[in-house]
Amino acid sequence: MPGLELPRNLVSRLVSPDADGEQRAWSAELPAIAEELAGRWSLRLGQPFQPGGQTAWVAPARSKAGDRLVLKLAWTHEEALHEAEGLRAWNGNGTVLLYASCTVGRATAMLLEACEPGTLLSERLPPAEQDAVLAGLLRRLWIEPPPDGPFRPLTVMCESWAAEFEQEYATAAGRGEGRLDPGLARAGIELFRMLPETADQDVLLSTDLHHGNVVAATREPWLAIDPTPYRGDPAFDPLQHMLNFPDRLAAGPGRFTDQMAGLLDLDRKRLRHWLFARCVQESAGKPWLRPIASGLAP
């Protein structure tokens, strides 16, 4: 498959100055990997979904029997491990079904259920109804982690992101750039490190569920896709959804927090602390989060 088409978002990522050398090497392997798996799994592949994502090649496929499927070839990197294992643990309970998976070169290959019509949640429902759909899916995803599973504790992610924030914050100071108040930054990032350690629940987490990762399907009205599984505090899981609504956060972060906490039966104070800490952690690259962090500070 020498002329394998790439999704536009992936192309943009590969030509950017920030592209990882390993990711470029993975992209060069994609034609051979797709050809190998088409033969191994008896697939007829279509063109990739557009505009696609930045770390995977995903395309419709047909089995030898004519069944509609999806082939996903994901770049295997540290920040996105164990998607296949998570989908296997959930077994279609709120998520897309996984039929087969393997590792080929730098790619994690997954043969997935085709979700039709596949419309994104963000394109179908108003925000308040999206909240309810997300909450319903999250409640189903929060299962006990399999005892033999490979899932990393949430502390691993938070420690890595906290270290990145501290480096970015120090760099901004050296350049004389705008940044969050130092006391607020210190309090937020300390909380970001502490919260995973003080959770009284340990569940399997999606960590990246938002209205762009929920699609309309026929088996169920809505299914989650593209999880990044970790294990830990369920109060972390609604944050990415909330951050995807900057206008709602700016207009009333406390009201938004209460809404999601009520839908998910979470402690409102704990979710507010998580949102404050996450806004601090993201504030180095997203200045619009700084006033929100200030307003949420304990």
Side-chain angles (χ1 to χ4, degrees):
M1 296 185 180
L4 190 74
E5 181 181 327
L6 298 180
R8 293 189 294 274
N9 285 340
L10 176 56
V11 172
S12 296
R13 173 65 182 176
L14 293 173
V15 300
S16 73
D18 298 329
D20 187 288
E22 282 292 308
Q23 187 177 15
R24 289 196 176 106
W26 158 79
S27 69
E29 296 173 353
L30 284 175
I33 293 172
E35 184 173 18
E36 177 184 340
L37 290 171
R40 183 189 305 187
W41 288 335
S42 301
L43 302 174
R44 186 169 71 253
L45 300 179
Q47 297 302 323
F49 296 110
Q50 296 288 0
Q54 296 191 339
T55 59
W57 185 88
V58 187
R62 287 271 192 170
S63 70
K64 192 173 183 179
D67 297 323
R68 294 180 183 273
L69 301 164
V70 168
L71 178 64
K72 179 173 183 176
L73 304 179
W75 174 39
T76 306
H77 59 293
E78 188 65 26
E79 290 187 7
L81 298 177
H82 308 139
E83 178 180 353
E85 292 87 347
L87 291 174
R88 192 169 291 115
W90 286 307
N91 194 30
N93 183 18
T95 69
V96 64
L97 278 164
L98 174 73
Y99 296 122
S101 67
C102 64
T103 300
V104 183
R106 295 174 176 85
T108 298
M110 288 166 275
L111 193 59
L112 302 166
E113 171 184 11
C115 293
E116 297 175 334
T119 313
L120 295 179
L121 178 62
S122 60
E123 299 171 356
R124 285 276 296 271
L125 296 178
E129 293 182 41
Q130 292 179 36
D131 294 347
V133 170
L134 262 290
L137 290 173
L138 284 175
R139 283 177 173 274
R140 297 169 67 187
L141 299 186
W142 292 339
I143 63 173
E144 183 178 349
D148 56 348
F151 307 109
R152 295 165 291 180
L154 187 58
T155 51
V156 172
M157 175 192 284
C158 290
E159 178 55 43
S160 174
W161 286 5
E164 289 177 7
F165 166 79
E166 289 169 338
Q167 182 176 359
E168 292 172 352
Y169 191 80
T171 299
R175 293 175 177 170
E177 298 172 355
R179 58 179 191 163
L180 199 63
D181 171 81
L184 203 61
R186 183 169 54 254
I189 215 63
E190 286 177 358
L191 191 59
F192 194 67
R193 284 187 165 107
M194 182 190 73
L195 282 167
E197 301 283 0
T198 59
D200 59 6
Q201 290 180 273
D202 181 34
V203 301
L204 191 56
L205 305 171
S206 167
T207 76
D208 193 27
L209 191 61
H210 54 81
H211 60 192
N213 275 346
V214 177
V215 296
T218 51
R219 181 170 60 86
E220 295 196 20
W222 300 103
L223 292 172
I225 61 172
D226 296 341
T228 305
Y230 280 77
R231 57 183 298 165
D233 186 358
F236 178 87
D237 246 1
L239 299 178
Q240 190 58 58
H241 170 67
M242 298 174 75
L243 289 172
N244 276 21
F245 287 96
D247 292 343
R248 295 173 71 191
L249 275 178
R255 184 167 59 250
F256 199 0
T257 299
D258 288 347
Q259 165 79 358
M260 294 308 299
L263 288 170
L264 290 162
D265 196 25
L266 294 172
D267 180 87
R268 284 171 166 76
K269 183 177 180 181
R270 186 170 184 85
L271 182 55
R272 184 184 177 104
H273 284 173
W274 262 119
L275 183 59
F276 162 63
R278 184 75 194 278
C279 287
V280 169
Q281 175 261 321
E282 291 273 3
S283 68
K286 298 177 180 177
W288 63 270
L289 286 172
R290 296 169 193 167
I292 298 172
S294 299
L296 287 167

